[in-house]
Amino acid sequence: PSCGRAGGYFGASAEGDTMKKVVFLTLAVLLAFGSLGVLGGCKMEEEPCEHVFVGSGTQEDPYLVGNEEDFRHIGCSPYSARGNHFLLTADLSYGNTDPFQPIARFSGVFDGDGHTIHLTYAYRNAVLSRVAVFDILQSATVKDTDFEVYLESTGPLYATAAGIAIDLDGGGLISGCSVSGSIKATGGQAYAAGLVDTVTEGRVVGCVSTAEVTAVTVGDLITNEDAADRGFAAACGLFETLTGAAESCYFAGKLSAGQEIPPEAADSDDVHTLIEAGVAGKYYHREDRAYDCEMKSCFYLDSAAEYGVHETGEGLTPQAEAVSGEEMRSEAFTQALNAGGNYFVMIPDGWPMPAR
């Protein structure tokens, strides 16, 4: 399906993201005073725990993550601190009978060592919902991990869902990772991304998403002063917002931005904004941050979207190229992904996958 008209991000890009953060902070304050329940499935503060890992957490002797219980505790104090190293030693699997709890904040180094994390997680909140494997990656590194995820985020006001993380900040890095499965956000303002919702200050390198990414806007709880928007839905192949850096990444899944209009609003003249972007919804440089903002050698499946980036900031030229499925399975495409380094290997009769 084609995308709706431009706009809807609360107006200009920087102001739009500021508004989103103000809303999130307001809700966090309400949470602290008991006015709201759990935010997005993630607990707002790091919890101390008595879990004991094998290893000492150094690069030479990392904490070993050998089962689901180990992984649940990488976000607990003191393990989530910056500089702690973790090594995944086996595939993990979470389901409805073995519930998954998103990691609220992580600042260490997580090496998946080529293993896969399988998980199913759905969360609904009365106001706002944020769903991903990690909520906030602050100065963290996540690398060489395959994520097979089936995620659903539902919140009448805001709903956000992403394959790996909601926010990558503080100079963090995600590299050599893949995402498959499905990612869905449903809300007044709905944002869904194949890898990361917002790369604030950080880098994503050599990653791929083949997930089905869906965003659905419902009702008229959000209004935009500059437009007659009743709701907003953005389904983005890799990122909803990129103000950091992305290199040698591609999207080869499906995108869908839709709307559910309540019966009482069926005759309204208001318009939903629907966006389907192959790589990113927004790509711009924030004046309040001093760091590289770039998009290099990024690609998306041409049947997934009509364009790679919905909104680009002044002075930036995104490298977001549409490629056919046949081309993606060619050696030439693998070489294009590896223009800046040895990031991918060609898989016979399949998509290029991260080199490890």
Side-chain angles (χ1 to χ4, degrees):
S2 61
C3 300
R5 61 183 176 79
Y9 281 106
F10 289 106
S13 296
E15 290 81 356
D17 281 349
T18 299
M19 179 62 74
K20 287 173 66 178
K21 290 180 181 292
V22 168
V23 172
F24 293 149
L25 289 173
T26 301
L27 292 170
V29 172
L30 292 173
L31 176 68
F33 284 93
S35 300
L36 296 176
V38 177
L39 178 61
C42 300
K43 297 183 179 179
M44 296 298 293
E45 298 180 358
E46 296 177 352
E47 289 188 349
C49 65
E50 298 179 356
H51 187 78
V52 178
F53 284 94
V54 175
S56 59
T58 65
Q59 184 173 356
E60 296 77 17
D61 184 30
Y63 293 126
L64 301 184
V65 179
N67 54 52
E68 290 76 11
E69 191 64 19
D70 285 338
F71 187 71
R72 285 190 180 95
H73 289 90
I74 71 170
C76 296
S77 177
Y79 299 119
S80 62
R82 187 173 183 175
N84 282 337
H85 289 253
F86 297 83
L87 178 66
L88 186 60
T89 61
D91 293 348
L92 305 182
S93 182
Y94 296 91
N96 293 328
T97 59
D98 187 19
F100 173 75
Q101 184 76 14
I103 308 301
R105 180 182 293 268
F106 182 71
S107 297
V109 177
F110 183 83
D111 182 354
D113 198 28
H115 290 290
T116 302
I117 297 178
H118 308 264
L119 64 91
T120 298
Y121 183 74
Y123 180 76
R124 177 187 296 269
N125 186 275
V127 179
L128 179 150
S129 176
R130 292 157 60 103
V131 169
V133 180
F134 299 90
D135 189 58
I136 298 173
L137 291 174
Q138 182 69 34
S139 306
T141 294
V142 176
K143 63 180 182 178
D144 298 344
T145 309
D146 295 324
F147 296 92
E148 182 185 353
V149 297
Y150 299 89
L151 304 175
E152 291 189 27
S153 175
T154 304
L157 185 62
Y158 280 100
T160 305
I164 299 177
I166 298 298
D167 192 13
L168 176 65
D169 204 354
L173 171 67
I174 298 175
S175 67
C177 293
S178 73
V179 175
S180 61
S182 63
I183 301 157
K184 183 177 181 179
T186 303
Q189 297 272 308
Y191 305 89
L195 292 179
V196 181
D197 177 75
T198 302
V199 181
T200 304
E201 183 176 0
R203 298 177 65 236
V204 182
V205 180
C207 294
V208 54
S209 176
T210 60
E212 182 173 347
V213 180
T214 304
V216 179
T217 179
V218 296
D220 58 351
L221 295 179
I222 293 292
T223 58
N224 187 328
E225 294 179 359
D226 299 324
D229 290 346
R230 180 165 64 250
F232 182 89
C236 306
L238 301 180
F239 319 105
E240 192 276 319
T241 298
L242 177 66
T243 61
E247 180 178 356
S248 298
C249 297
Y250 77 98
F251 176 72
K254 296 180 180 180
L255 295 174
S256 177
Q259 57 188 351
E260 294 179 3
I261 302 176
E264 62 271 18
D267 297 328
S268 173
D269 293 329
D270 289 349
V271 179
H272 285 297
T273 296
L274 308 178
I275 291 173
E276 295 168 0
V279 174
K282 289 180 294 180
Y283 168 53
Y284 68 96
H285 179 76
R286 291 179 61 111
E287 295 182 356
D288 59 339
R289 300 291 183 103
Y291 57 89
D292 291 337
C293 176
E294 61 179 358
M295 183 187 296
K296 296 172 57 179
S297 302
C298 290
F299 304 86
Y300 64 97
L301 189 63
D302 59 1
S303 61
E306 295 182 357
Y307 49 79
V309 180
H310 174 70
E311 186 178 312
T312 301
E314 184 178 356
L316 295 175
T317 303
Q319 293 184 10
E321 182 180 343
V323 180
S324 70
E326 182 178 356
E327 290 176 298
M328 282 188 173
R329 291 177 169 85
S330 70
E331 184 175 351
F333 179 61
T334 302
Q335 291 175 350
L337 287 168
N338 290 335
N342 186 28
Y343 299 123
F344 286 89
V345 294
M346 186 175 179
I347 304 298
D349 300 322
W351 311 112
M353 292 301 292
R356 286 133 184 192

